[in-house]
Amino acid sequence: MMKNSSQVSYFTLAAYLDRGDVKFLYFVVLLTAYVLIICSNLFLMVVICMNRSLHEPMYMFLLSLFVNELYGSTGLFPFLLVQILSDLHTVAAPLCFLQVFIIYSYGGVEYLSLTAMSYDRYVAVCCPLRYKTLMTADRTATLIVLTWSYPLVLITVMVCLSSSLQLCGNVIDKVYCDNYSVVKLSCSDASVNNIYGLVTTFCTIVFPLILIIFTYIKIFRVCLHGSKQTRQKAISTCAPHLAVLLNFSFGACFETLQSRFDMSRVPTVLRIFLSLYSVASLPLFNPLIYGLNVSKIRLGALSLISRRFSEGRQKIQALQNLCRTHRKC
């Protein structure tokens, strides 16, 4: 007998490996990673917001990217931490669809943010004299709004289509909720969901990737025919972006392949690691890449730390002087 998805009160996540005390090790590792993600991304967000020299298009896109890292990791890590310590790996249906929405929209915003950043680098390298007129504050704000609103609308429709399906089961062979895994449980015709899923993938990954490749072809042409100084500038500004792009593309590619093809021959532990890679590694990887390799952010971070350290020393010294004055020490 077919059940409507509204009658499926929970889903069971079957990919968890319960191995006694090892789960506590997994818990500590994931908790440490989550704390590092929050601290590193928040710190760089504060650096960009407080340093007026970083109020430029490139750094505004990075600010949006760091906000997205917090958004995506918060949709996954607390859930994983609870599930690791739980004996029954179940999730309520509404929470499952909420997680699908957060993770998929996170991926869409990530890729579109990288696309906007590649356009910014294209204008900076290929049209340096027109950069300030092309990348105005209004255009930058418009691009950031589009990178968020466009995938949020697409993913909202996708989740609505999936939640209206009639389901014949509630077991998902993953450690978190996945849209295509829910669609595969459908008893009814899911062709609309499959077609829309492909359209969404094209709109949020394939089409942006085409734009990114186009911009980098233009950038590489300028580098080949430009001066040594032009090449050095292009490499220093584009290398972190390319590293993040390749890293995310690897994770997204595996996740897409795993959803669409049979991966039963791949070891379970490796499947779990790679399925979490794009969502779990980027929030740690991006602050590290941009914090260490972008000189303005690195200098801004060092300046903020030294300023806070100096202020702290001044406050301690003032308290010590106050104590000496009143003879209370």
Side-chain angles (χ1 to χ4, degrees), residues 36 39 44 90 100 175 206 265 309:
L36 288 174
C39 293
L44 291 183
T90 60
V100 168
V175 293
V206 178
R265 294 184 179 180
F309 182 72

Side-chain angles (χ1 to χ4, degrees), residues 10 15 31 46 53 68 76 102 111 113-114 117 163 175 194 217 232 251 264 273 276 279 284 291 309 311:
Y10 66 92
L31 181 61
V46 171
S53 66
N68 190 47
L76 179 68
I102 292 174
Y111 229 105
S113 296
L114 293 173
M117 290 169 67
S163 62
V175 293
N194 290 324
I217 288 173
Q232 289 177 341
S264 58
F273 173 78
L276 292 172
V279 184
L284 273 174
F309 182 72
E311 289 175 357

Side-chain angles (χ1 to χ4, degrees), residues 47 51 54 295-305 307:
V47 169
N51 196 327
L54 297 178
S295 59
K296 275 192 174 183
I297 293 181
R298 185 172 65 250
L299 293 174
L302 293 173
S303 174
L304 181 62
I305 293 171
R307 193 187 316 147

Side-chain angles (χ1 to χ4, degrees), residues 120-154:
D120 175 72
R121 294 302 84 206
Y122 161 74
V123 176
V125 175
C126 300
C127 313
L129 300 178
R130 299 173 58 200
Y131 182 78
K132 288 188 176 181
T133 58
L134 290 174
M135 294 303 298
T136 61
D138 288 342
R139 177 167 292 184
T140 302
T142 301
L143 286 173
I144 290 174
V145 170
L146 283 174
T147 60
W148 280 86
S149 58
Y150 181 59
L152 288 177
V153 171
L154 287 174

Side-chain angles (χ1 to χ4, degrees), residues 111 115 118 202 205-217:
Y111 229 105
T115 306
S118 69
F202 179 83
I205 296 180
V206 178
F207 181 65
L209 183 59
I210 292 171
L211 293 178
I212 291 171
I213 292 172
F214 173 78
T215 57
Y216 270 99
I217 288 173

Side-chain angles (χ1 to χ4, degrees), residues 187-231:
C187 298
S188 57
D189 183 17
S191 56
V192 174
N193 298 73
N194 290 324
I195 293 171
Y196 187 80
L198 292 173
V199 170
T200 303
T201 302
F202 179 83
C203 292
T204 57
I205 296 180
V206 178
F207 181 65
L209 183 59
I210 292 171
L211 293 178
I212 291 171
I213 292 172
F214 173 78
T215 57
Y216 270 99
I217 288 173
K218 293 285 187 180
I219 290 171
F220 289 146
R221 282 183 177 177
V222 170
C223 291
L224 287 173
H225 298 94
S227 62
K228 183 179 179 180
Q229 185 179 2
T230 302
R231 286 196 293 271

Side-chain angles (χ1 to χ4, degrees), residues 221-296:
R221 282 183 177 177
V222 170
C223 291
L224 287 173
H225 298 94
S227 62
K228 183 179 179 180
Q229 185 179 2
T230 302
R231 286 196 293 271
Q232 289 177 341
K233 180 183 176 181
I235 291 171
S236 64
T237 58
C238 295
H241 179 262
L242 276 174
V244 171
L245 178 65
L246 291 172
N247 188 40
F248 182 70
S249 297
F250 169 76
C253 180
F254 179 83
E255 185 58 25
T256 303
L257 291 174
Q258 182 177 228
S259 298
R260 300 287 171 174
F261 299 99
D262 181 20
M263 291 286 182
S264 58
R265 294 184 179 180
V266 180
T268 304
V269 175
L270 182 60
R271 268 196 299 125
I272 294 172
F273 173 78
L274 292 175
S275 67
L276 292 172
Y277 182 80
S278 60
V279 184
S281 70
L282 281 179
L284 273 174
F285 185 77
N286 288 357
L288 184 67
I289 286 292
Y290 287 111
L292 293 178
N293 288 282
V294 179
S295 59
K296 275 192 174 183

